[in-house]
Amino acid sequence: MEEPALVPPTMEQIARWQGVQLPNATARHGLGEMQGLIDAMAKLRGTMVFEDEPSSFEAALRDCKEQEA
Amino acid sequence: MSALTSLSMTEAADAVARGEVTSEALVEACLARIAAHDGGVNAVIRLDAEEARAAARAVDQARAAGKILGPLAGVPMMHKDMYYRAGKVSTCGSKIRKDFVPKVTATVLNRLDDAGAVDMGTLNMAEFAQNPTGHNAHFGHCHNPWSLPYCTGGSSSGSGASVAARFVFAALGSDTGGSIRLPATICGVTGLKGTQTRVPRTGVMPLSFSADNVGPLVRTARDAARFLKVTAGPCPKDPTSAKEPVPDYEAALTGSIAGLKIAVVEDWFLDGIDPEVLKTFEAALDVLKGLGASVTRIAVPEMAAIGTYTALVSRSEGAAIHANWMREYPQDYAVHLNARLYGGYSLPATFYIEALSRRGPLLRAFCERALTPYHLVATPTLRIKVPTLAETDIDVDPANWDRFMGVSANTRPFNYLGLPTLSVPCGFDSNGLPIGLQLSARPFAEARVLQAGDAFQRVTDWHKREPVL
């Protein structure tokens, strides 16, 4: 299967921003899989609202405690 | 097969308390099993035999002296080698930390010690708890006691294998994407991941601080109930630990689930399911219906979002905390691990923040659709048949990537949602490998899943079956 086009520039970006070098061929293969994640995230565009924030999770855990079904 | 090692954790603890068996006898029985069979299974990293014998003697002497014993007194256990005990090496299943000696002891180990458990040592695991199969390039792969060429599930590979092989009565595992429930289902034992923040993580190797959980691999739901009672509750050293009261989980195990409403979420969890797994899952649902529960098929349209976001959180956090070692010692990681970590450095911070920010709203949505009209969600723990170690070895062949990553498809969403989730054995596939039933409830409703799991185990015997080694 042909390697996704995102792989070489992403490798360059990781090296530049993180100082981490490609460790092996499997990592290169795995990086190619990221196209699927990009596509999945594109489908979710517009769902996050301005007020969403990480701390809402702890509040939801408390609020969603079991009550009578 | 020794009858002693066939006891469940609670049966063993109760037998010690009643004076029907000594802790020393339990320890010797477990040590004999390990000596006879760990050469093939490879579940143990460090065996502290003499310390275990001494601890067992102390329990037996305390009982003889009429002292009150803890709820786990005299029961041999081991822990995944990522729970720190001050002064003892904790390898984290890695070459990088093969000589790491922590200065602190994990809160959960202190609580198990206080409950009288006998710690026999440490167990094999995926390197830095970062794979779902149990491969380990440094300490050797852990092998499934039901059939050695098959994987154990990971990352708590030694925990699942040691409980299945009757090396110990209980083992500590950890679960960030399924790492308790996968080895539980694949090795045919019971595993519980509590609500996110239910059990403190002080002194536990981090993988992903948003999704890491501490929990047991044991024989029965009753074992898990007692184990959770001992280990749950806030710890001042872990400010993220929940302050919710810790109930008497065993008191909820009435055997009755009449009127319990169970939802089967058909999106995601049944996608591409193996026909044998589906048939066994449906048979397990029939058992629950026979006990008076109702089962309803539902759709949760948010599953695609949950599935996407759950993959982002742990990969981002895992990559961040390994960055220094990835720069300095990338060759010291197994191929599959540095390959997995490497992709994490490509994830934009905005993706990660979006995944965290949507977590609360998606938890509310999931509860509204699945856990307000119903008490529990039931799914297969693993939607494929148990794969072999070779079929999921991406160190040898990157083409195995999809199968390797897909193992945790049904477990990861519950880490993202933070929901309490139990896996119990519910059958076997045509290769003789176990199949598991996964039950999830609302936050802090561990008693619900334990109640259902216990009721299921009262009328089935899958959890009592033992591999022939």
Side-chain angles (χ1 to χ4, degrees):
Chain A
M1 196 173 73
E2 195 174 333
E3 181 175 86
L6 68 83
V7 172
T10 306
M11 286 167 48
E12 186 185 333
Q13 182 188 352
I14 290 172
R16 182 182 311 232
W17 285 75
Q18 311 275 2
V20 175
Q21 305 301 320
L22 179 76
N24 52 53
T26 306
R28 189 168 184 139
H29 177 92
L31 205 54
E33 300 289 321
M34 288 296 177
Q35 186 60 53
L37 179 62
I38 293 169
D39 296 342
M41 288 295 287
K43 290 179 185 167
L44 296 174
R45 287 175 192 166
T47 55
M48 182 172 168
V49 301
F50 190 70
E51 288 80 7
D52 284 347
E53 59 168 298
S55 68
S56 70
F57 177 64
E58 279 70 31
L61 274 182
R62 290 190 299 273
D63 293 348
C64 290
K65 282 192 298 183
E66 184 170 275
Q67 295 163 25
E68 276 307 299
Chain B
M1 175 65 68
S2 161
L4 283 184
T5 55
S6 295
L7 296 172
S8 72
M9 182 199 81
T10 44
E11 288 170 341
D14 294 347
V16 169
R18 289 193 296 262
E20 295 167 0
V21 66
T22 64
S23 177
E24 284 188 272
L26 295 178
V27 166
E28 293 303 333
C30 289
L31 290 173
R33 291 282 297 170
I34 293 169
H37 301 298
D38 196 47
V41 177
N42 194 32
V44 176
I45 286 185
R46 190 189 70 241
L47 189 59
D48 295 329
E50 289 314 311
E51 292 175 20
R53 288 182 171 118
R57 266 194 303 277
V59 169
D60 292 336
Q61 288 166 358
R63 189 191 175 279
K67 294 184 179 170
I68 295 173
L69 302 181
L72 301 176
V75 180
M77 300 184 188
M78 299 181 83
H79 55 275
K80 189 175 184 178
D81 200 12
M82 54 174 273
Y83 287 90
Y84 302 162
R85 190 178 283 287
K88 293 271 196 180
V89 170
S90 180
T91 67
C92 304
S94 70
K95 179 179 179 183
I96 288 171
R97 280 202 150 178
K98 68 180 172 54
D99 300 317
F100 170 65
V101 179
K103 293 178 180 168
V104 300
T105 297
T107 294
V108 287
L109 290 184
N110 281 328
R111 289 179 177 178
L112 291 169
D113 293 345
D114 292 346
V118 174
D119 184 357
M120 298 211 314
T122 66
L123 294 165
N124 205 349
M125 58 181 283
E127 182 180 2
F128 287 115
Q130 293 244 15
N131 76 53
T133 53
H135 289 86
N136 189 302
H138 311 295
F139 294 90
H141 305 326
C142 195
H143 295 263
N144 196 311
W146 291 94
S147 181
L148 298 180
Y150 285 83
C151 83
T152 55
S155 63
S156 309
S157 51
S159 304
S162 64
V163 174
R166 272 58 183 175
F167 292 172
V168 285
F169 296 90
L172 257 179
S174 71
D175 194 318
T176 304
S179 290
I180 289 172
R181 292 159 289 152
L182 287 170
T185 190
I186 291 173
C187 293
V189 302
T190 299
L192 175 67
K193 178 199 89 65
T195 304
Q196 189 71 38
T197 70
R198 179 69 289 184
V199 182
R201 296 171 293 178
T202 316
V204 184
M205 180 210 82
L207 191 175
S208 164
F209 53 84
S210 295
D212 290 341
N213 288 273
V214 169
L217 291 98
V218 283
R219 311 261 205 270
T220 67
R222 180 172 293 279
D223 291 352
R226 188 174 300 182
F227 198 106
L228 184 63
K229 173 70 175 170
V230 165
T231 53
C235 168
K237 293 178 185 170
D238 177 1
T240 69
S241 56
K243 296 180 175 58
E244 298 293 323
V246 179
D248 180 357
Y249 298 107
E250 279 189 86
L253 309 183
T254 61
S256 172
I257 56 168
L260 194 77
K261 293 181 241 180
I262 299 172
V264 173
V265 178
E266 295 195 303
D267 339 39
W268 185 275
F269 296 104
L270 303 185
D271 292 351
I273 188 169
D274 180 272
E276 287 184 35
V277 175
L278 180 60
K279 184 178 176 186
T280 303
F281 173 61
E282 295 290 350
L285 295 176
D286 287 342
V287 171
L288 294 170
K289 283 191 275 191
L291 291 167
S294 62
V295 174
T296 306
R297 320 278 161 162
I298 67 167
V300 176
E302 291 84 3
M303 280 312 303
I306 292 166
T308 298
Y309 289 137
T310 193
L312 270 167
V313 175
S314 61
R315 290 197 78 180
S316 299
E317 294 179 356
I321 63 176
H322 281 273
N324 284 337
W325 291 331
M326 278 293 284
R327 293 182 195 106
E328 295 173 23
Y329 318 112
Q331 72 284 354
D332 286 351
Y333 290 100
V335 169
H336 67 265
L337 180 50
N338 56 20
R340 182 179 161 96
L341 289 169
Y342 182 71
Y345 300 108
S346 71
L347 298 170
T350 45
F351 276 19
Y352 169 65
I353 292 168
E354 180 178 334
L356 288 181
S357 300
R358 294 296 297 154
R359 203 177 180 196
L362 286 167
L363 171 59
R364 290 178 195 276
F366 188 87
C367 286
E368 187 174 328
R369 289 189 193 277
L371 290 169
T372 298
Y374 311 99
H375 297 100
L376 296 178
V377 166
T379 75
T381 314
L382 177 70
R383 44 166 111 133
I384 58 174
K385 287 167 69 175
V386 176
T388 64
L389 283 160
E391 288 168 341
T392 46
D393 191 341
I394 60 172
D395 288 7
V396 174
D397 186 357
N400 290 326
W401 183 272
D402 286 346
R403 191 181 291 117
F404 173 83
M405 297 296 279
V407 167
S408 56
N410 275 12
T411 50
R412 275 186 276 122
F414 296 108
N415 294 81
Y416 182 72
L417 295 169
L419 297 172
T421 305
L422 178 77
S423 181
V424 294
C426 68
F428 288 83
D429 66 24
S430 55
N431 296 322
L433 275 297
I435 295 172
L437 168 69
Q438 187 172 235
L439 300 166
S440 302
R442 278 182 167 256
F444 302 104
E446 283 83 359
R448 277 282 184 210
V449 295
L450 291 165
Q451 177 192 33
D454 172 67
F456 183 82
Q457 290 181 331
R458 288 183 191 218
V459 296
T460 59
D461 69 352
W462 306 113
H463 61 291
K464 292 181 180 173
R465 301 197 186 185
E466 301 184 15
V468 178
L469 287 166

